[in-house]
Amino acid sequence: MNSTTTPPSTTAPDGTAPSVERRTIDHIPHDERHGRARDIFTVWFGSNIMLLTIITGALATTVFGLPFWAGALAVIAGNLVGGVVMALHAAQGPQMGVPQMLQTRAQFGSLGSLLVVVLVVFMYLGFFASNAVLGGKAFAEVTGLPDNWAIFIIGAISVVVTMIGYKLIHSMAALLSVVAGLALLLAFVWMLAVNGLPTDTWHSSGFTWAGFMATFSAAALWQIAYAPYVSDYTRYLPRDTGVKTAFWATYAGCVLGSVLPMLLGVLIGAALPSADTLDGMGTLTHGISTGLFLVFAVGISVTNGMNLYCGALSTITVGQNIFPRWRAQAVSRAVIAVVLFAIAMLPALLSADDFLANYANFLSLLLCVLIPWTAVNLVDYYLLRHGEYDIDSLFRRDGGVYGRFNWVAVACYVLGILVQIPFLSTTLWTGPIAKDLGGVDISWIVGLAVICPLYYVLMTTRNSTIPVAAELSSESVA
């Protein structure tokens, strides 16, 4: 790695990281790597125990009308399957030492990657807005503040988390693993053993394959949507962390941290299917609901800091393409975080009254644009280049050995979106094939099945040898 792409060290003289992270998208050299596999587990376990995860589980029994047993099965299966796709991306962080969306330049080219990175920024903003709405409503429930002010405060806390950066996010997620984990366990005990549930909670009617697949897809997407995040939170880990270690620590933390709160949501929806999910949780946990809402509201602000942090890194990635000499550090990340926060507040405040329907549509459309990217990225990383990349080329405006555009990747990405459209089933659009399948949405499965082999064949046909890393410097590979 050339010194021109590396700003001053983020480590203090005593070898510890300072309170504010100075690095943004630049490569993390070997002497600044730190952390262990358990840090990967807690950052994903703790950050997933939040209100939005509960709401996602509740979609099964409220929006999609499934009985508890079917909703629980769909949630578990979706997380297990989607988690595989997501965790495969996590190994790229320790290996390459750069954020996930910067690495996308190696597949799409320095300019071609902008198509994906810009869409991913909108994804971060969508999740930020969704979290802000739920966290704000919970905070308003506890404090008595108007919803809009509570939403603003929860979002503002997330801005502070983003400004401080990587180390604080990991530390707070570790704390959430304990505090929010215990709160979640207490919620289950209180609902089942203390207050009890309505007698028709365990009814078995209402199963449909369309509802089951919609829930399965929503749970799978919950995991797949983290694919653009995971390397951002493993890039400081030592390179010898290993692919298997990074995979299993991420998989276990994210899947377990998602399944448990989603099951709580499924249970709340089965017990009170006509009620607002937050109101239903308050009713079923009467006696401890104020404490639960407080924990989940404060916790969601930390989790939302992860959305804003990744959004800031992706925005810097776009900016550096336009201004290649720009070396963004902490101040740039802080300014961008404030701007993204202001942008995200608009949909957060506008969608608050019809949140569930808007959120379900957001998940379906998000899945459509993420699937072809994850297919291209994973095939390129594991099957074509086997994890070996020229890090210096990722910071060059001309793309170095990867060029400005990889038209094969761009074409596969666009085709991957188009091929899913006939299979989509949302309230906004139901494709003709989805209608023939009774409303069952298998679009993301089709997208993966088509684009993975297509990208591999086209790339290997176009090039007798796939350009991997040029001779990497010892700093890049140490």
Side-chain angles (χ1 to χ4, degrees), residues 3 13 20 88 101 114 150 164 166 244 256 367 395 436-437 450:
S3 60
V20 176
L88 285 171
M101 298 319 294
L114 294 181
I164 297 175
Y166 182 93
K244 290 183 179 180
L256 187 60
L367 187 58
F395 292 90
D436 292 340
L437 294 174
V450 171

Side-chain angles (χ1 to χ4, degrees), residues 138-213:
F139 194 58
E141 184 78 19
V142 173
T143 62
L145 287 170
D147 283 358
N148 286 353
W149 276 107
I151 290 170
F152 180 86
I153 291 171
I154 290 299
I157 295 173
S158 305
V159 175
V160 176
V161 173
T162 302
M163 288 178 174
I164 297 175
Y166 182 93
K167 188 174 182 180
L168 178 64
I169 290 171
H170 270 275
S171 298
M172 294 303 295
L175 179 62
L176 279 176
S177 293
V178 178
V179 177
L182 289 174
L184 183 68
L185 178 61
L186 186 60
F188 273 112
V189 171
W190 213 261
M191 289 168 56
L192 294 169
V194 178
N195 287 342
L197 295 169
T199 55
D200 61 347
T201 299
W202 312 109
H203 71 88
S204 58
S205 61
F207 175 83
T208 64
W209 279 111
F212 183 88
M213 285 303 300

Side-chain angles (χ1 to χ4, degrees), residues 11-24:
T11 54
D14 63 357
T16 62
S19 57
V20 176
E21 178 192 9
R22 295 174 63 185
R23 292 193 178 275
T24 56

Side-chain angles (χ1 to χ4, degrees), residues 389-401:
Y389 290 87
D390 181 357
I391 302 299
D392 284 336
S393 289
L394 300 179
F395 292 90
R396 291 176 55 176
R397 190 174 192 181
D398 64 1
V401 298

Side-chain angles (χ1 to χ4, degrees), residues 95-450:
Q95 176 78 7
M96 299 181 66
V98 297
Q100 185 71 65
M101 298 319 294
L102 179 74
Q103 193 249 43
T104 297
R105 292 176 178 175
Q107 291 94 46
F108 290 81
S110 60
L111 297 181
S113 66
L114 294 181
L115 171 68
V116 183
V117 179
V118 170
L119 287 174
V120 167
V121 171
F122 281 105
M123 178 197 77
Y124 293 132
L125 293 178
F127 275 121
F128 184 93
S130 301
N131 277 320
V133 169
L134 291 176
K137 286 187 173 184
F139 194 58
E141 184 78 19
V142 173
T143 62
L145 287 170
D147 283 358
N148 286 353
W149 276 107
I151 290 170
F152 180 86
I153 291 171
I154 290 299
I157 295 173
S158 305
V159 175
V160 176
V161 173
T162 302
M163 288 178 174
I164 297 175
Y166 182 93
K167 188 174 182 180
L168 178 64
I169 290 171
H170 270 275
S171 298
M172 294 303 295
L175 179 62
L176 279 176
S177 293
V178 178
V179 177
L182 289 174
L184 183 68
L185 178 61
L186 186 60
F188 273 112
V189 171
W190 213 261
M191 289 168 56
L192 294 169
V194 178
N195 287 342
L197 295 169
T199 55
D200 61 347
T201 299
W202 312 109
H203 71 88
S204 58
S205 61
F207 175 83
T208 64
W209 279 111
F212 183 88
M213 285 303 300
T215 303
F216 176 86
S217 294
L221 170 63
W222 183 267
Q223 297 295 327
I224 295 171
Y226 281 124
Y229 294 67
V230 284
S231 282
D232 295 359
Y233 297 103
T234 60
R235 72 191 198 279
Y236 279 93
L237 292 172
R239 195 173 190 270
D240 62 4
T241 298
V243 173
K244 290 183 179 180
T245 300
F247 174 89
W248 285 112
T250 304
Y251 185 83
C254 206
V255 170
L256 187 60
S258 302
V259 165
L260 294 177
M262 282 190 191
L263 288 177
L264 182 66
V266 174
L267 187 59
I268 293 170
L272 300 172
S274 300
D276 175 85
T277 304
L278 292 186
D279 291 341
M281 186 170 76
T283 299
L284 296 173
T285 60
H286 177 71
I288 59 167
S289 58
T290 299
L292 292 179
F293 281 134
L294 183 61
V295 169
F296 291 141
V298 174
I300 209 170
S301 65
V302 176
T303 303
N304 227 9
M306 296 175 68
N307 289 309
L308 206 57
Y309 178 83
C310 293
L313 295 186
S314 294
T315 303
I316 291 169
T317 299
V318 174
Q320 199 210 40
N321 274 31
I322 302 170
F323 307 103
R325 294 184 181 276
W326 181 33
R327 296 293 174 260
Q329 296 186 39
V331 173
S332 298
R333 186 178 65 244
V335 171
I336 290 170
V338 172
V339 173
L340 293 179
F341 165 68
I343 295 171
M345 278 296 96
L346 183 61
L349 297 176
L350 290 178
S351 68
D353 293 334
D354 195 18
F355 177 75
L356 270 183
N358 291 326
Y359 179 58
N361 287 326
F362 169 68
L363 285 177
S364 298
L365 296 176
L366 175 59
L367 187 58
C368 185
V369 299
L370 273 184
I371 284 299
W373 166 77
T374 199
V376 167
N377 180 273
L378 292 179
V379 169
D380 192 87
Y381 186 88
Y382 287 100
L383 300 181
L384 296 177
R385 307 183 200 270
H386 306 289
E388 295 297 330
Y389 290 87
D390 181 357
I391 302 299
D392 284 336
S393 289
L394 300 179
F395 292 90
R396 291 176 55 176
R397 190 174 192 181
D398 64 1
V401 298
Y402 307 115
R404 287 184 170 86
F405 290 93
N406 176 4
W407 291 110
V408 170
V410 172
C412 284
Y413 181 77
V414 174
L415 179 63
I417 294 175
L418 294 176
V419 77
Q420 293 179 78
I421 292 176
F423 297 88
L424 280 173
S425 179
T426 72
T427 57
L428 296 177
W429 161 262
T430 300
I433 299 179
K435 289 179 181 177
D436 292 340
L437 294 174
V440 174
D441 188 332
I442 60 169
S443 58
W444 65 280
I445 300 173
V446 173
L448 284 175
V450 171

